[in-house]
Amino acid sequence: MLPAKLQPLVFAFIMSGFMAFLMSGILTLLNLGWFSGFVLSWLKAYLVAHACAFPLVLIFAPLSRRLTALLIRPS
């Protein structure tokens, strides 16, 4: 098990991985259509997408939290 202090990094890594996987698959399909090398093209796109998405999640998470706090009324 990992220490609790790594929770934000682990969460960002997993969430960006899911998002990059799904979005790269959808966009690869929309841009290239289904073809014999689709899965390989998707996986290549995923690797690039996740390499970009993970640091971007870390950069934009604080801004997203602040914007969310402005939009949500405290209970």
Side-chain angles (χ1 to χ4, degrees):
M1 293 297 271
L2 297 170
K5 67 181 180 179
L6 293 179
Q7 189 273 338
L9 287 174
V10 173
F11 177 85
F13 185 81
I14 292 170
M15 181 59 97
S16 63
F18 284 142
M19 293 299 295
F21 185 73
L22 294 171
M23 291 181 70
S24 62
I26 291 166
L27 292 173
T28 300
L29 184 62
L30 288 174
N31 287 319
L32 302 177
W34 188 263
F35 63 101
S36 62
F38 174 80
V39 173
L40 184 59
S41 291
W42 177 6
L43 292 177
K44 286 180 184 178
Y46 164 70
L47 292 175
V48 173
H50 195 211
C52 295
F54 177 55
L56 289 171
V57 166
L58 295 175
I59 291 167
F60 286 101
L63 175 62
S64 297
R65 283 188 200 99
R66 285 193 296 274
L67 290 173
T68 301
L70 290 173
L71 296 170
I72 302 298
R73 183 177 342 155
S75 54

